[in-house]
Amino acid sequence: MIQFDVITLFPGMFLSPLQESILYKARQKGLVQIIVHDLRRFTYDKHNTADDKPYGGGPGMVMKVEPITTAVEHVRQTGIKTRVVLLSPQGVLFTQEAAQRLSTFQQIILVCGRYEGVDERVLNFVDEEISIGDYVLSGGELPAMVIIDTVARLVPGVVGDEASVHEDSFTNGLLKYPQYTRPATFRGLEVPEVLLSGDHERIKTWRRIEALRKTVIRRADLIERAWMSLTEQEKQFIATLRQSYNGDRP
Ligand code: SAM
């Protein structure tokens, strides 16, 4: 079981996503607990001020350090493996590997920024800063949901067929092989014959080759990283594939 504690100025944003599909079922089964905390509850003044003008001038407002640290200290549990994450476009890029690492914690506290971001001193009270991509969103709520969804999928029992998680893109360093379902022919487009053959060994080999082909074409960077784990035969296949493109992509 993993517990996610989200600290946000906009708790209402989490209502619908937590009520649907896999996350809803995971919560019902007690595999995942998600508690959304309203940051304003941790403010000190009668106006529940959570932000203020930046020192030195400049546009917008900055989220204050005291309410955030008070909230983190309030929700952090003792005696269990806890991780405090600040969502930030300046953080380390979120990957499947990062999700796997986070899934080993029992409590993950997600701090959502807003406005111009948070007072830099907040960094002293979190374990890491995570970005979900090189673009700027209006707040950390959607990134927090991305992390919750990705990490929750890795909790045993959350995804109905566990094998599907192990075969997901990135899990073994490659993109997933192409998939098809009925009908076998659509507007002249045929499903590859091997998938209809019932020959599991051939299907397994085909899927591995197609996963390699897709990854070489779309994500050469992943191939470089997975290189050491590939067999000599697979490396040879990639070399031939690259030659067949005659210097063009890939
Ligand atoms: N002024 C900040 C900057 O330039 O780095 C951006 C602030 S952004 C408008 C407000 C908040 O949205 C951030 O504090 C962060 O919590 C969240 N956020 C925006 N983009 C994000 C991203 N790519 N990944 C994670 N969090 C993000």
Side-chain angles (χ1 to χ4, degrees):
M1 210 275 276
I2 294 194
Q3 178 174 324
F4 295 93
D5 288 271
V6 185
I7 297 171
T8 171
L9 280 173
F10 298 95
M13 285 183 73
F14 290 83
L15 291 177
S16 165
L18 302 186
Q19 290 300 337
E20 305 280 347
S21 187
I22 286 185
L23 279 183
Y24 176 71
K25 287 188 200 142
R27 289 172 55 229
Q28 292 295 103
K29 287 190 214 160
L31 298 171
V32 168
Q33 192 176 6
I34 305 167
I35 307 171
V36 182
H37 306 268
D38 187 344
L39 181 59
R40 293 211 191 272
R41 274 187 44 222
F42 301 95
T43 52
Y44 295 90
D45 61 318
K46 64 174 181 189
H47 300 294
N48 298 116
T49 312
D51 58 312
D52 208 335
K53 290 183 210 144
Y55 275 124
M61 301 294 271
V62 174
M63 288 177 68
K64 291 164 71 66
V65 62
E66 308 101 304
I68 294 177
T69 48
T70 307
V72 167
E73 281 158 6
H74 179 82
V75 304
R76 187 200 278 271
Q77 292 189 23
T78 49
I80 60 168
K81 225 178 146 202
T82 295
R83 198 75 175 159
V84 184
V85 176
L86 172 68
L87 284 319
S88 161
Q90 301 175 15
V92 173
L93 217 51
F94 187 56
T95 58
Q96 192 68 26
E97 224 176 312
Q100 262 147 7
R101 182 175 52 74
L102 285 179
S103 74
T104 65
F105 288 90
Q106 290 160 291
Q107 184 191 25
I108 301 173
I109 300 171
L110 298 161
V111 180
C112 305
R114 276 269 154 182
Y115 317 123
E116 288 304 314
V118 303
D119 184 310
E120 194 73 8
R121 290 168 291 183
V122 168
L123 302 192
N124 295 290
F125 302 91
V126 302
D127 298 310
E128 59 184 301
E129 265 183 285
I130 293 185
S131 162
I132 62 158
D134 288 345
Y135 40 79
V136 177
L137 293 112
S138 311
E141 289 75 14
L142 293 174
M145 285 180 218
V146 167
I147 292 178
I148 292 172
D149 191 288
T150 314
V151 174
R153 282 176 65 76
L154 302 175
V155 175
V158 167
V159 174
D161 186 348
E162 202 125 317
S164 91
V165 173
H166 298 303
E167 289 186 353
D168 271 343
S169 291
F170 310 112
T171 304
N172 62 3
L174 303 178
L175 299 181
K176 189 169 181 166
Y177 51 78
Q179 297 180 98
Y180 300 85
T181 186
R182 283 180 283 187
T185 306
F186 177 70
R187 297 186 185 171
L189 299 168
E190 306 280 350
V191 169
E193 173 277 324
V194 59
L195 298 180
L196 310 176
S197 69
D199 183 337
H200 297 298
E201 261 323 292
R202 268 183 72 212
I203 292 173
K204 198 171 153 201
T205 307
W206 181 88
R207 285 181 166 162
R208 180 72 183 169
I209 288 174
E210 293 310 313
L212 284 167
R213 188 195 308 280
K214 213 173 201 187
T215 312
V216 169
I217 293 171
R218 297 187 179 183
R219 293 292 302 272
D221 59 315
L222 293 181
I223 290 288
E224 297 317 321
R225 266 187 270 156
W227 194 251
M228 296 303 279
S229 64
L230 303 180
T231 64
E232 283 312 310
Q233 215 181 354
E234 289 171 343
K235 290 177 185 171
Q236 189 54 50
F237 168 73
I238 290 169
T240 314
L241 185 62
R242 283 178 168 154
Q243 272 167 12
S244 73
Y245 279 84
N246 215 7
D248 299 335
R249 219 174 52 127

PDB file of all heavy atoms in Angstrom, residues 87-90 112-117 130-133 135-140 143, ligand 1:
ATOM      1  N   LEU A  87       6.782  19.557  -6.935  1.00  0.00           N
ATOM      2  CA  LEU A  87       6.581  19.601  -8.385  1.00  0.00           C
ATOM      3  C   LEU A  87       7.113  20.926  -8.895  1.00  0.00           C
ATOM      4  O   LEU A  87       6.754  21.986  -8.365  1.00  0.00           O
ATOM      5  CB  LEU A  87       5.089  19.483  -8.723  1.00  0.00           C
ATOM      6  CG  LEU A  87       4.443  18.102  -8.611  1.00  0.00           C
ATOM      7  CD1 LEU A  87       5.357  17.018  -9.152  1.00  0.00           C
ATOM      8  CD2 LEU A  87       4.037  17.775  -7.198  1.00  0.00           C
ATOM      9  N   SER A  88       7.985  20.859  -9.906  1.00  0.00           N
ATOM     10  CA  SER A  88       8.614  22.078 -10.397  1.00  0.00           C
ATOM     11  C   SER A  88       9.157  21.870 -11.812  1.00  0.00           C
ATOM     12  O   SER A  88       9.757  20.820 -12.086  1.00  0.00           O
ATOM     13  CB  SER A  88       9.776  22.449  -9.457  1.00  0.00           C
ATOM     14  OG  SER A  88      10.661  23.325 -10.117  1.00  0.00           O
ATOM     15  N   PRO A  89       8.971  22.850 -12.703  1.00  0.00           N
ATOM     16  CA  PRO A  89       9.550  22.692 -14.046  1.00  0.00           C
ATOM     17  C   PRO A  89      11.075  22.689 -14.000  1.00  0.00           C
ATOM     18  O   PRO A  89      11.727  22.324 -14.977  1.00  0.00           O
ATOM     19  CB  PRO A  89       9.019  23.898 -14.821  1.00  0.00           C
ATOM     20  CG  PRO A  89       8.608  24.886 -13.791  1.00  0.00           C
ATOM     21  CD  PRO A  89       8.261  24.125 -12.558  1.00  0.00           C
ATOM     22  N   GLN A  90      11.643  23.071 -12.847  1.00  0.00           N
ATOM     23  CA  GLN A  90      13.103  23.106 -12.717  1.00  0.00           C
ATOM     24  C   GLN A  90      13.654  21.800 -12.132  1.00  0.00           C
ATOM     25  O   GLN A  90      14.855  21.676 -11.917  1.00  0.00           O
ATOM     26  CB  GLN A  90      13.511  24.271 -11.820  1.00  0.00           C
ATOM     27  CG  GLN A  90      13.024  25.596 -12.369  1.00  0.00           C
ATOM     28  CD  GLN A  90      13.309  26.758 -11.427  1.00  0.00           C
ATOM     29  OE1 GLN A  90      14.093  26.636 -10.502  1.00  0.00           O
ATOM     30  NE2 GLN A  90      12.664  27.876 -11.677  1.00  0.00           N
ATOM     31  N   CYS A 112       2.378  20.926  -4.448  1.00  0.00           N
ATOM     32  CA  CYS A 112       2.015  21.570  -5.722  1.00  0.00           C
ATOM     33  C   CYS A 112       2.248  23.078  -5.643  1.00  0.00           C
ATOM     34  O   CYS A 112       1.666  23.751  -4.786  1.00  0.00           O
ATOM     35  CB  CYS A 112       0.547  21.345  -6.032  1.00  0.00           C
ATOM     36  SG  CYS A 112       0.075  19.613  -6.037  1.00  0.00           S
ATOM     37  N   GLY A 113       3.095  23.584  -6.518  1.00  0.00           N
ATOM     38  CA  GLY A 113       3.297  25.026  -6.592  1.00  0.00           C
ATOM     39  C   GLY A 113       2.209  25.678  -7.438  1.00  0.00           C
ATOM     40  O   GLY A 113       1.457  25.005  -8.139  1.00  0.00           O
ATOM     41  N   ARG A 114       2.144  26.986  -7.348  1.00  0.00           N
ATOM     42  CA  ARG A 114       1.229  27.811  -8.176  1.00  0.00           C
ATOM     43  C   ARG A 114       1.910  29.147  -8.423  1.00  0.00           C
ATOM     44  O   ARG A 114       2.994  29.400  -7.921  1.00  0.00           O
ATOM     45  CB  ARG A 114      -0.099  28.062  -7.442  1.00  0.00           C
ATOM     46  CG  ARG A 114      -1.078  26.934  -7.613  1.00  0.00           C
ATOM     47  CD  ARG A 114      -1.976  27.162  -8.832  1.00  0.00           C
ATOM     48  NE  ARG A 114      -2.488  25.915  -9.386  1.00  0.00           N
ATOM     49  CZ  ARG A 114      -3.251  25.843 -10.459  1.00  0.00           C
ATOM     50  NH1 ARG A 114      -3.598  26.951 -11.095  1.00  0.00           N
ATOM     51  NH2 ARG A 114      -3.663  24.695 -10.918  1.00  0.00           N
ATOM     52  N   TYR A 115       1.272  30.001  -9.180  1.00  0.00           N
ATOM     53  CA  TYR A 115       1.757  31.364  -9.437  1.00  0.00           C
ATOM     54  C   TYR A 115       3.177  31.342 -10.021  1.00  0.00           C
ATOM     55  O   TYR A 115       3.468  30.611 -10.942  1.00  0.00           O
ATOM     56  CB  TYR A 115       1.655  32.219  -8.164  1.00  0.00           C
ATOM     57  CG  TYR A 115       0.346  31.998  -7.442  1.00  0.00           C
ATOM     58  CD1 TYR A 115       0.309  31.583  -6.120  1.00  0.00           C
ATOM     59  CD2 TYR A 115      -0.873  32.168  -8.127  1.00  0.00           C
ATOM     60  CE1 TYR A 115      -0.901  31.357  -5.470  1.00  0.00           C
ATOM     61  CE2 TYR A 115      -2.088  31.930  -7.485  1.00  0.00           C
ATOM     62  CZ  TYR A 115      -2.088  31.526  -6.155  1.00  0.00           C
ATOM     63  OH  TYR A 115      -3.264  31.283  -5.524  1.00  0.00           O
ATOM     64  N   GLU A 116       4.109  32.116  -9.411  1.00  0.00           N
ATOM     65  CA  GLU A 116       5.493  32.138  -9.932  1.00  0.00           C
ATOM     66  C   GLU A 116       6.333  30.988  -9.377  1.00  0.00           C
ATOM     67  O   GLU A 116       7.521  30.869  -9.675  1.00  0.00           O
ATOM     68  CB  GLU A 116       6.172  33.463  -9.581  1.00  0.00           C
ATOM     69  CG  GLU A 116       5.656  34.655 -10.373  1.00  0.00           C
ATOM     70  CD  GLU A 116       5.760  34.439 -11.883  1.00  0.00           C
ATOM     71  OE1 GLU A 116       6.811  33.984 -12.350  1.00  0.00           O
ATOM     72  OE2 GLU A 116       4.771  34.709 -12.581  1.00  0.00           O
ATOM     73  N   GLY A 117       5.710  30.159  -8.544  1.00  0.00           N
ATOM     74  CA  GLY A 117       6.438  29.058  -7.921  1.00  0.00           C
ATOM     75  C   GLY A 117       6.561  29.286  -6.428  1.00  0.00           C
ATOM     76  O   GLY A 117       5.856  30.134  -5.854  1.00  0.00           O
ATOM     77  N   ILE A 130      10.683  17.368  -8.880  1.00  0.00           N
ATOM     78  CA  ILE A 130      10.415  16.612 -10.104  1.00  0.00           C
ATOM     79  C   ILE A 130       9.655  17.471 -11.106  1.00  0.00           C
ATOM     80  O   ILE A 130       8.696  18.166 -10.752  1.00  0.00           O
ATOM     81  CB  ILE A 130       9.625  15.320  -9.795  1.00  0.00           C
ATOM     82  CG1 ILE A 130      10.491  14.362  -8.985  1.00  0.00           C
ATOM     83  CG2 ILE A 130       9.147  14.648 -11.081  1.00  0.00           C
ATOM     84  CD1 ILE A 130       9.877  13.015  -8.713  1.00  0.00           C
ATOM     85  N   SER A 131      10.094  17.378 -12.362  1.00  0.00           N
ATOM     86  CA  SER A 131       9.396  18.034 -13.471  1.00  0.00           C
ATOM     87  C   SER A 131       8.801  16.947 -14.350  1.00  0.00           C
ATOM     88  O   SER A 131       9.416  15.892 -14.537  1.00  0.00           O
ATOM     89  CB  SER A 131      10.395  18.852 -14.288  1.00  0.00           C
ATOM     90  OG  SER A 131       9.861  19.141 -15.566  1.00  0.00           O
ATOM     91  N   ILE A 132       7.615  17.194 -14.901  1.00  0.00           N
ATOM     92  CA  ILE A 132       7.050  16.175 -15.812  1.00  0.00           C
ATOM     93  C   ILE A 132       7.373  16.492 -17.265  1.00  0.00           C
ATOM     94  O   ILE A 132       6.961  15.768 -18.169  1.00  0.00           O
ATOM     95  CB  ILE A 132       5.531  15.968 -15.614  1.00  0.00           C
ATOM     96  CG1 ILE A 132       4.740  17.247 -15.900  1.00  0.00           C
ATOM     97  CG2 ILE A 132       5.237  15.423 -14.241  1.00  0.00           C
ATOM     98  CD1 ILE A 132       3.288  16.954 -16.246  1.00  0.00           C
ATOM     99  N   GLY A 133       8.111  17.551 -17.531  1.00  0.00           N
ATOM    100  CA  GLY A 133       8.478  17.841 -18.916  1.00  0.00           C
ATOM    101  C   GLY A 133       8.950  19.268 -19.056  1.00  0.00           C
ATOM    102  O   GLY A 133       8.718  20.107 -18.174  1.00  0.00           O
ATOM    103  N   TYR A 135       8.128  22.105 -20.113  1.00  0.00           N
ATOM    104  CA  TYR A 135       7.084  23.080 -20.410  1.00  0.00           C
ATOM    105  C   TYR A 135       6.535  23.553 -19.067  1.00  0.00           C
ATOM    106  O   TYR A 135       6.766  22.898 -18.047  1.00  0.00           O
ATOM    107  CB  TYR A 135       5.971  22.477 -21.272  1.00  0.00           C
ATOM    108  CG  TYR A 135       5.617  21.070 -20.864  1.00  0.00           C
ATOM    109  CD1 TYR A 135       4.789  20.828 -19.757  1.00  0.00           C
ATOM    110  CD2 TYR A 135       6.136  19.983 -21.551  1.00  0.00           C
ATOM    111  CE1 TYR A 135       4.486  19.540 -19.367  1.00  0.00           C
ATOM    112  CE2 TYR A 135       5.829  18.684 -21.167  1.00  0.00           C
ATOM    113  CZ  TYR A 135       5.002  18.472 -20.078  1.00  0.00           C
ATOM    114  OH  TYR A 135       4.716  17.182 -19.679  1.00  0.00           O
ATOM    115  N   VAL A 136       5.841  24.689 -19.085  1.00  0.00           N
ATOM    116  CA  VAL A 136       5.374  25.251 -17.818  1.00  0.00           C
ATOM    117  C   VAL A 136       3.854  25.172 -17.727  1.00  0.00           C
ATOM    118  O   VAL A 136       3.140  25.697 -18.582  1.00  0.00           O
ATOM    119  CB  VAL A 136       5.852  26.715 -17.663  1.00  0.00           C
ATOM    120  CG1 VAL A 136       5.292  27.328 -16.380  1.00  0.00           C
ATOM    121  CG2 VAL A 136       7.372  26.766 -17.651  1.00  0.00           C
ATOM    122  N   LEU A 137       3.389  24.479 -16.688  1.00  0.00           N
ATOM    123  CA  LEU A 137       1.947  24.412 -16.424  1.00  0.00           C
ATOM    124  C   LEU A 137       1.601  25.494 -15.401  1.00  0.00           C
ATOM    125  O   LEU A 137       2.479  26.080 -14.782  1.00  0.00           O
ATOM    126  CB  LEU A 137       1.584  23.046 -15.854  1.00  0.00           C
ATOM    127  CG  LEU A 137       1.750  21.872 -16.807  1.00  0.00           C
ATOM    128  CD1 LEU A 137       2.878  20.975 -16.367  1.00  0.00           C
ATOM    129  CD2 LEU A 137       0.459  21.083 -16.892  1.00  0.00           C
ATOM    130  N   SER A 138       0.305  25.688 -15.185  1.00  0.00           N
ATOM    131  CA  SER A 138      -0.112  26.737 -14.243  1.00  0.00           C
ATOM    132  C   SER A 138       0.064  26.316 -12.798  1.00  0.00           C
ATOM    133  O   SER A 138       0.073  27.156 -11.902  1.00  0.00           O
ATOM    134  CB  SER A 138      -1.588  27.081 -14.450  1.00  0.00           C
ATOM    135  OG  SER A 138      -1.826  27.301 -15.798  1.00  0.00           O
ATOM    136  N   GLY A 139       0.156  25.005 -12.561  1.00  0.00           N
ATOM    137  CA  GLY A 139       0.279  24.556 -11.183  1.00  0.00           C
ATOM    138  C   GLY A 139       0.788  23.132 -11.117  1.00  0.00           C
ATOM    139  O   GLY A 139       0.866  22.435 -12.138  1.00  0.00           O
ATOM    140  N   GLY A 140       1.110  22.686  -9.917  1.00  0.00           N
ATOM    141  CA  GLY A 140       1.666  21.344  -9.738  1.00  0.00           C
ATOM    142  C   GLY A 140       0.606  20.252  -9.631  1.00  0.00           C
ATOM    143  O   GLY A 140       0.949  19.086  -9.461  1.00  0.00           O
ATOM    144  N   PRO A 143       0.789  17.721 -12.706  1.00  0.00           N
ATOM    145  CA  PRO A 143       1.983  16.891 -12.517  1.00  0.00           C
ATOM    146  C   PRO A 143       1.837  15.906 -11.349  1.00  0.00           C
ATOM    147  O   PRO A 143       2.257  14.752 -11.450  1.00  0.00           O
ATOM    148  CB  PRO A 143       3.093  17.910 -12.244  1.00  0.00           C
ATOM    149  CG  PRO A 143       2.642  19.140 -12.968  1.00  0.00           C
ATOM    150  CD  PRO A 143       1.146  19.154 -12.830  1.00  0.00           C
TER     151      PRO A 143
HETATM  152  N1  SAM B   1       8.007  30.634 -12.653  1.00  0.00           N
HETATM  153  C1  SAM B   1       8.295  29.244 -12.602  1.00  0.00           C
HETATM  154  C2  SAM B   1       9.499  28.927 -13.460  1.00  0.00           C
HETATM  155  O1  SAM B   1       9.705  29.651 -14.431  1.00  0.00           O
HETATM  156  O2  SAM B   1      10.209  27.956 -13.191  1.00  0.00           O
HETATM  157  C3  SAM B   1       7.070  28.448 -13.059  1.00  0.00           C
HETATM  158  C4  SAM B   1       5.967  28.463 -12.101  1.00  0.00           C
HETATM  159  S1  SAM B   1       4.589  27.530 -12.649  1.00  0.00           S
HETATM  160  C5  SAM B   1       3.603  28.719 -13.446  1.00  0.00           C
HETATM  161  C6  SAM B   1       3.687  27.221 -11.190  1.00  0.00           C
HETATM  162  C7  SAM B   1       3.852  25.842 -10.601  1.00  0.00           C
HETATM  163  O3  SAM B   1       3.402  24.862 -11.528  1.00  0.00           O
HETATM  164  C8  SAM B   1       5.247  25.398 -10.247  1.00  0.00           C
HETATM  165  O4  SAM B   1       5.635  25.901  -8.992  1.00  0.00           O
HETATM  166  C9  SAM B   1       5.124  23.889 -10.247  1.00  0.00           C
HETATM  167  O5  SAM B   1       4.629  23.388  -9.015  1.00  0.00           O
HETATM  168  C10 SAM B   1       4.088  23.642 -11.320  1.00  0.00           C
HETATM  169  N2  SAM B   1       4.677  23.247 -12.604  1.00  0.00           N
HETATM  170  C11 SAM B   1       4.664  23.949 -13.754  1.00  0.00           C
HETATM  171  N3  SAM B   1       5.254  23.280 -14.745  1.00  0.00           N
HETATM  172  C12 SAM B   1       5.663  22.106 -14.226  1.00  0.00           C
HETATM  173  C13 SAM B   1       6.351  20.984 -14.763  1.00  0.00           C
HETATM  174  N4  SAM B   1       6.753  20.937 -16.025  1.00  0.00           N
HETATM  175  N5  SAM B   1       6.581  19.936 -13.942  1.00  0.00           N
HETATM  176  C14 SAM B   1       6.197  19.963 -12.652  1.00  0.00           C
HETATM  177  N6  SAM B   1       5.561  21.009 -12.083  1.00  0.00           N
HETATM  178  C15 SAM B   1       5.281  22.067 -12.857  1.00  0.00           C
END
